[in-house]
Amino acid sequence: MRRQTIWRLAGVAAVLGGLIDLLGPLAYPHLTDPARLSTYVLIDLLLLFGMLGVQSVAGRVMGWPGLVGFVIAVGGVLLVRTSAAGIWGAASYTVASAVWSIGMVVVGTTLLARKGPFRAASALWIAAFVIGLAGLALKDQGLAHRLAGWCFALGFIAAGVILARTASRAEA
């Protein structure tokens, strides 16, 4: 399979994962637990494919700091999916999602510092982390939590669009 095809598929996965993550809360009240949990797994899988695409396109630009961020982010995805086991008690999901977000902040910061692609996505991932921290500091799990989640999902949608454009440019 050609690189451009992989980038395009990763881009589609990132956009779909981000869109489902954004629109999911409208559907979740109408879903039973197996369907809702399957949707969460699907979102994380699609976003993981998007992360792999970002790493594939920008890995050389990011160097080892970006690789460290990518590894932290992948670890965060795995922790999110296993958070139901309650490794860290009631805060397991919060800790796991924070690890994922920290990884994306490292990736985003590296991309911004090295003037790599995915600048809009990077800014959104960093904004998600900052808003999430502000929400924790203000003990606001409502609006701040939703805004952080929206920024995170929009970051993946932006990354997906860039992945698809990169694939198209490479083919031209």
Side-chain angles (χ1 to χ4, degrees):
M1 188 177 298
R2 295 181 8 214
R3 249 184 339 183
Q4 293 84 351
T5 303
I6 293 170
W7 294 343
R8 187 169 285 110
L9 290 172
V12 169
V15 169
L16 284 176
L19 285 173
I20 296 169
D21 199 19
L22 279 175
L23 301 175
L26 299 173
Y28 297 149
H30 308 291
L31 299 175
T32 60
D33 262 352
R36 185 174 35 245
L37 295 174
S38 296
T39 303
Y40 296 151
V41 171
L42 177 64
I43 291 167
D44 293 347
L45 183 63
L46 291 169
L47 296 184
L48 181 59
F49 286 142
M51 289 167 40
L52 290 166
V54 168
Q55 180 63 28
S56 174
V57 168
R60 287 189 182 162
V61 171
M62 293 189 299
W64 69 266
L67 180 60
V68 168
F70 173 75
V71 169
I72 291 169
V74 169
V77 173
L78 298 174
L79 291 172
V80 163
R81 280 303 102 227
T82 59
S83 64
I87 297 168
W88 294 291
S92 289
Y93 180 81
T94 302
V95 171
S97 60
V99 170
W100 188 357
S101 190
I102 289 167
M104 297 312 296
V105 166
V106 173
V107 167
T109 302
T110 304
L111 284 166
L112 289 174
R114 297 190 175 184
K115 296 180 179 16
F118 307 103
R119 286 188 284 273
S122 298
L124 286 161
W125 292 326
I126 293 167
F129 183 73
V130 170
I131 292 167
L133 280 180
L136 282 175
L138 298 170
K139 299 185 192 282
D140 173 10
Q141 294 302 309
L143 180 61
H145 178 75
R146 282 190 296 280
L147 284 174
W150 293 340
C151 285
F152 198 73
L154 287 170
F156 278 96
I157 292 169
V161 169
I162 294 164
L163 280 165
R165 285 183 183 163
T166 301
S168 295
R169 285 187 196 127
E171 288 176 344

